[in-house]
Amino acid sequence: MAAADISPTASSEAAPRTAFVLGGGGKLGGYQVGMLRALFERDIVPDLVFGTSVGALQGALLAKNPTPAVCDQLTELWRELLGKRVMAVTVRSVLSNAFRRHPAFASMDALHGVVRSYLGERTRIEDLALPYQCVASSIERAAARYFDSGPLLPAVLASCAIPGLWAPVRIGDEHYVDGGIVETAPVSRAVAYGATTVYVLRMRQRERPLRPARWPWQIGPTVFEISRRHRLAQILSSHPPGVRVHILPSGEAGAEGSDVALRAGPREELALNQRRAAAGYRATCEYLDALDQGRSPHLASSANPVARSYLTTTNATLLSSTASSDRAVTPFLATKYRTLFGLFDKDQDGLIAEADWLGAADNITAAFGHSPDSFRAATLGKAFQESWGRLCEAAGAELSASLDRDTFEGAVARLVGTPHAYLANFLPMVVAFLATADTNGTNMLEAEEAQRLLQTFGVDPADALTVTRRLDTNGDGAVSLDELSEAFQAYFTSDERGCAGNMIFGSLPD
């Protein structure tokens, strides 16, 4: 069966189309197998498939066989790829490449043989069951090349050609290397071709921190990863209104301690691949189930591992271990706490009551157009109720009591006395803020969403864009959970006058 036409379209009248975008990640591709299984179990199937690097390979097999059975095929594919050690660097491969003057350490012959057995020698992209595109990086043009027609096998190999590991793949008069260099997740390409719902299956998630290189040969991959992550964040935050983008979690943070088991044999690598598939399946199931039940998927799919562990622990346990944290309140911190107090003391009677505190949640909910009985309103309201309870407990007051400024200041200081205390007592509110303001489901705040949220916090509309840009510390055009949390933590704990977090509740008095 020939694939349907995949012409670019910007028409809002076209039938809704679902795209699966499979990102790169080398041996981490096992996560995508589990993610695909979770999608198929919930009858979520693609109309279009886009891939880069290892995602180009798995996406090609998906486009060829867009049924649940493809998950078993991919499992067998990985069994062969790992069993034949297609990425292995041997003395023979190094000497052979040196003799032939190929700028690579390994041979692509084994990869070529395995991929050919699954995709076919003469299969053309037009022959696939679904419209499919993969991207590779042209050396001569220093640009992306999207393959949407022609021979499938060389296009996939070109997209997978990791620089240094494998030699560039020649197609026509040009040489191509890994597509992840120019397009780590072709979301914008999917949107340009009419996708109205996009599921992004990506690995090497942004919350996994990079570490400085320890050896000279690690510098190149580290620099590449910095560039890749920055580009990915820009892509994910730049889609037009009306397009729903789901950034599926891979679950990798809890599946392994490092990217690649460098010293593992085929058996160990296969076991690791199976764990990756299971982690991708579990994490994606959590995300999709949260969507089905009207819950926010942010907690399941976001947050760095440390923050997530606190958020999934009972509040009672956390409060008992952190509420007693006392810290000296410096004059600058006191100024910030008093500014926050003033935002809640609307009637300027010098007191904050529970109604004042919870009223802020209603104002934020209304600012984003959520119904008072919506799940997001309930989630934010619960976060405010719990935080009020923590404040009162830290102040030694009843829930029905009103807190004066000095009592409020002391209670806040106790709740943020240590990093652990901040994570337990304030991070749940930050997650709720993000869930409420993230109206298009990207798991981050785009510029307009961030500005609107800041204005509900008391930031002057004329300053909201400037504050948003400062909160966006990685310059990707959006504010992530980590960036928002860092800003809140800086507001409550930092004496550094120049940090961006000082501005989240409006200008401070001189």
Side-chain angles (χ1 to χ4, degrees), residues 37-62:
R37 194 180 297 278
L39 288 164
F40 274 115
E41 283 186 358
R42 287 153 179 77
D43 296 321
I44 301 173
V45 296
D47 301 304
L48 315 166
V49 178
F50 298 81
T52 187
S53 195
V54 71
L57 170 56
Q58 301 200 113
L61 202 56
L62 169 64

Side-chain angles (χ1 to χ4, degrees), residues 202 204-211 229 249-256 286 297-313 419-420 422-424 427-428 430-431 434 443 473 480-487 489:
R202 65 189 181 105
R204 292 198 175 108
Q205 306 261 355
R206 293 178 65 213
E207 58 267 21
R208 286 179 59 88
L210 289 174
R211 293 182 175 86
R229 293 189 185 196
S250 67
E252 65 196 77
E256 57 190 289
E286 290 178 10
H298 291 81
L299 179 56
S301 66
S302 187
N304 56 59
V306 174
R308 183 171 175 172
S309 69
Y310 281 104
L311 287 168
T312 53
T313 306
H420 288 195
Y422 164 78
L423 288 171
L427 186 58
V430 178
V431 173
L434 182 69
N443 292 351
T473 56
S480 68
L481 174 58
D482 286 343
E483 289 169 331
L484 192 62
S485 177
E486 287 171 6
Q489 188 163 10

Side-chain angles (χ1 to χ4, degrees), residues 73-234:
Q73 287 184 308
L74 289 169
T75 300
E76 289 302 312
L77 170 66
W78 277 103
R79 190 182 302 276
E80 290 196 46
L81 292 173
L82 297 174
K84 295 184 177 180
R85 298 184 66 81
V86 300
M87 299 179 72
V89 177
T90 65
V91 174
R92 180 177 179 180
S93 66
V94 172
L95 293 176
S96 175
N97 283 321
F99 178 77
R100 293 184 289 177
R101 296 186 178 180
H102 286 175
F105 288 107
S107 168
M108 194 178 262
D109 292 345
L111 177 67
H112 183 282
V114 173
V115 175
R116 180 181 57 198
S117 68
Y118 280 84
L119 299 182
E121 180 76 54
R122 296 182 175 83
T123 304
R124 296 180 63 84
I125 294 176
E126 303 94 308
D127 299 332
L128 299 175
L130 291 179
Y132 165 84
Q133 291 188 29
C134 67
V135 61
S137 306
S138 168
I139 294 176
E140 285 80 2
R141 292 185 295 111
R145 163 74 186 277
Y146 291 91
F147 294 92
D148 58 4
S149 62
L152 176 63
L153 182 59
V156 169
L157 293 176
S159 186
C160 292
I162 300 173
L165 180 65
W166 291 312
V169 173
R170 181 169 182 169
I171 300 177
D173 295 328
E174 295 186 47
H175 296 79
Y176 297 92
V177 292
D178 197 303
I181 295 174
V182 291
E183 190 73 282
T184 186
V187 175
S188 57
R189 188 74 172 181
V191 172
Y193 278 76
T196 53
T197 301
V198 181
Y199 290 90
V200 184
L201 290 73
R202 65 189 181 105
M203 290 85 68
R204 292 198 175 108
Q205 306 261 355
R206 293 178 65 213
E207 58 267 21
R208 286 179 59 88
L210 289 174
R211 293 182 175 86
R214 297 181 60 189
W215 304 101
W217 54 82
Q218 295 176 332
I219 295 175
T222 300
V223 171
F224 170 72
E225 185 64 10
I226 292 172
S227 175
R228 189 198 67 82
R229 293 189 185 196
H230 181 70
R231 172 63 179 150
L232 174 63
Q234 291 177 322

Side-chain angles (χ1 to χ4, degrees), residues 331-353:
F332 185 57
L333 286 175
T335 296
K336 292 193 283 187
Y337 298 168
R338 290 165 188 164
T339 299
L340 181 62
F341 181 89
L343 293 177
F344 288 94
D345 182 18
K346 298 293 186 182
D347 57 7
Q348 298 183 348
D349 64 351
L351 297 170
I352 295 179

Side-chain angles (χ1 to χ4, degrees), residues 264-276:
R267 182 176 299 177
E268 291 79 12
E269 285 195 333
L270 180 59
L272 178 56
N273 182 266
Q274 292 170 343
R275 291 199 299 273
R276 288 166 174 162

